[in-house]
Amino acid sequence: MAHYDFKKVASNFKVAGEFVSCEPYGEGHINQTFLLIMNENGKNVKYILQRINSNLFTNVEKLMNNIKLVTEFAREQIAKEGGNPNRESLTVILTNDDKAYYFDGENYFRVYIFIDDATAYQVVEKPEHFYESAVAFGNFANLLAKFDASKLYESLPNFHNTVKRFEALEKAIEDNISGRKDEVSAEIKFALDRKDLVSAIVSKLESGEIPLKVTHNDTKLNNVLIDNASGKAVAVIDLDTIMPGTICYDFGDSIRFGCNPAAEDEQDLSKVNFSIELFEQYVKGYMSALKNSMTQSEADNLALGAIMMTYECGIRFLTDHLNGDTYFRIKREGHNLDRTRTQFKLVSDMEAQFDKMNAIVNKYYKG
Ligand code: ADP
Ligand code: GN1
Ligand code: MG
């Protein structure tokens, strides 16, 4: 990993005290996240410092403007309701010249208040946590519904356009940049066999059957912090992908990640299973926050959204594997292939339980 002059980076932000340390932190696949510690009057104060992935987010100015607007809006609402904005929302720490990011000539950095005594889980350890994460993402969707969408820049156009994702896979198969194509013929077959699926939600968004809403678009469990003491969700984080989208996908992404008792990159597929019990927990929590604003068409497509997001994520991992691992950060050879396999195993499981999933959604939507 490249080394950065963190002391100098930190000195450009409004963080008080003496620099102590800055070490890699968390499990994100996109940005580089660090725990920054400053010593203020003898006391260590933590911050999150991130090097923004500017290969992907090509307009950091506009990206950070989105995050500033959404977090300021969230903080206001939280304060009105008597909550603690520094804990229940991401809070951007500005640079000395009042910008939301610092550019050192090569790299873009941002700093957030560290939300302490809370955990971003990589797998569900307690079903209640998963339920609480659903309530948090549901409440966050309600918050975004009140936000003026016209103020937002689309940070990653076509982010969940499964048709385009499929085309990218077809191109990756054809280009075979990594030379790995022949080793992954089973995975390629799995993906291509489901070609009919790719426009299932996109076409309903285009026709207006499913309403376009401002959504989070990256709602996995490790993008919500759970309070260590109470087990309640504290804050929804990772706001880079707030854009127009559908709650069917936000719901689906949470299911993809959280209903699997194993890690997203588990190599032993016998451990990777879709848990219908966890699915029910999530539906229960999500509906408790959202069912009053959820349309019938959205409810009808939640279970399909779960399959779509899992399939989409699988084809994105496979595309990256074929392209030579240029998008998702990897820690080992074949990492993106391992990730592909867990997603495809989950797709198969969900296909087999699709009717049950829909019945559960119905029960809580109507109930
Ligand atoms: P990425 O976009 O790479 O996924 P995230 O913004 O999700 O990056 O951050 C990665 C991890 O860092 C999170 O999963 C969480 O563990 C931790 N994290 C991020 N922001 C905060 C924060 N403000 N307070 C505490 N932990 C945080
Ligand atoms: C990435 O940034 P992170 O790790 O929270 C990715 C998501 C994928 C996810 C798979 C901007 O999320 O779309 O679903 O990995 N984020 C981006 O774990 O591409
Ligand atoms: Mg993240």
Side-chain angles (χ1 to χ4, degrees):
M1 194 195 287
H3 285 279
Y4 309 105
D5 185 347
F6 289 123
K7 199 172 168 179
K8 180 172 164 238
V9 173
S11 74
N12 281 280
F13 286 89
K14 291 181 185 175
V15 292
E18 297 297 313
F19 177 86
V20 176
S21 62
C22 193
E23 301 290 335
Y25 190 81
E27 299 284 333
H29 297 340
I30 300 298
N31 298 300
Q32 276 174 283
T33 303
F34 303 90
L35 173 63
L36 166 68
I37 302 183
M38 302 292 291
N39 190 288
E40 201 181 337
N41 303 324
K43 201 175 149 241
N44 279 351
V45 182
K46 298 177 189 171
Y47 298 91
I48 283 287
L49 185 146
Q50 286 183 321
R51 177 177 173 267
I52 301 167
N53 182 335
S54 56
N55 285 335
L56 179 62
F57 300 109
T58 48
N59 193 329
V60 173
E61 175 79 32
K62 289 190 178 167
L63 171 77
M64 289 313 295
N65 191 49
N66 277 2
I67 293 183
K68 248 186 92 185
L69 291 174
V70 171
T71 53
E72 278 164 7
F73 182 73
R75 289 172 56 81
E76 251 173 55
Q77 304 285 316
I78 292 163
K80 262 192 222 158
E81 285 158 26
N84 176 355
N86 288 354
R87 187 162 175 76
E88 294 166 37
S89 165
L90 273 186
T91 306
V92 178
I93 306 256
L94 298 179
T95 61
N96 297 328
D97 52 1
D98 288 323
K99 288 177 75 134
Y101 65 90
Y102 165 66
F103 180 55
D104 71 358
E106 212 178 320
N107 307 289
Y108 292 84
F109 296 94
R110 66 182 166 208
V111 173
Y112 293 124
I113 289 182
F114 186 86
I115 300 169
D116 215 346
D117 303 316
T119 303
Y121 287 97
Q122 304 310 320
V123 290
V124 174
E125 288 181 10
K126 290 188 183 161
E128 308 90 78
H129 290 165
F130 196 43
Y131 171 86
E132 294 298 338
S133 77
V135 176
F137 280 125
N139 287 334
F140 195 76
N142 282 327
L143 179 93
L144 290 178
K146 291 186 234 149
F147 187 81
D148 178 0
S150 70
K151 289 187 177 157
L152 288 177
Y153 149 76
E154 198 172 2
S155 56
L156 298 171
N158 293 314
F159 191 56
H160 289 313
N161 185 326
T162 328
V163 175
K164 292 231 160 42
R165 296 289 188 191
F166 188 82
E167 286 165 9
L169 172 66
E170 287 182 314
K171 182 167 184 327
I173 296 168
E174 189 166 324
D175 295 350
N176 193 18
I177 293 172
S178 64
R180 290 163 165 167
K181 180 175 138 182
D182 293 340
E183 297 157 24
V184 295
S185 48
E187 289 74 20
I188 290 176
K189 181 173 184 316
F190 186 96
L192 298 184
D193 279 352
R194 285 160 180 76
K195 188 173 179 174
D196 291 349
L197 199 66
V198 300
S199 62
I201 290 207
V202 171
S203 62
K204 289 179 184 157
L205 279 168
E206 277 167 7
S207 72
E209 185 184 331
I210 298 176
L212 205 61
K213 293 183 174 171
V214 181
T215 50
H216 182 284
N217 293 303
D218 193 1
T219 47
K220 56 181 176 174
L221 184 66
N222 66 13
N223 285 331
V224 61
L225 296 172
I226 308 280
D227 189 278
N228 292 341
S230 70
K232 303 270 181 210
V234 181
V236 169
I237 59 169
D238 201 346
L239 308 179
D240 293 321
T241 51
I242 291 181
M243 287 178 290
T246 160
I247 62 164
C248 303
Y249 281 159
D250 271 10
F251 171 86
D253 202 26
S254 298
I255 297 306
R256 162 190 92 69
F257 192 84
C259 290
N260 168 21
E264 188 187 59
D265 58 358
E266 173 60 57
Q267 290 174 292
D268 179 354
L269 286 184
S270 70
K271 294 185 179 154
V272 176
N273 298 293
F274 172 69
S275 160
I276 196 86
E277 291 78 22
L278 286 174
F279 179 80
E280 181 153 4
Q281 286 291 322
Y282 198 89
V283 172
K284 199 165 120 190
Y286 206 59
M287 288 297 182
S288 75
L290 264 187
K291 77 170 175 185
N292 292 336
S293 61
M294 188 182 288
T295 68
Q296 181 71 51
S297 67
E298 288 171 325
D300 289 345
N301 286 287
L302 288 184
L304 182 61
I307 294 185
M308 293 301 298
M309 284 305 292
T310 313
Y311 173 71
E312 180 192 280
C313 205
I315 66 175
R316 289 174 65 196
F317 290 142
L318 182 56
T319 303
D320 202 30
H321 182 72
L322 287 163
N323 284 341
D325 307 308
T326 57
Y327 186 92
F328 296 103
R329 202 182 4 266
I330 54 159
K331 291 187 179 157
R332 56 177 186 256
E333 171 78 19
H335 205 162
N336 276 314
L337 180 58
D338 297 337
R339 292 169 175 152
T340 305
R341 288 180 172 150
T342 63
Q343 301 308 293
F344 287 175
K345 169 69 171 53
L346 292 169
V347 169
S348 298
D349 283 7
M350 288 186 212
E351 285 172 346
Q353 307 221 48
F354 191 54
D355 291 344
K356 264 195 207 159
M357 291 164 75
N358 275 315
I360 290 171
V361 168
N362 252 320
K363 175 172 141 194
Y364 289 94
Y365 185 55
K366 302 245 162 69

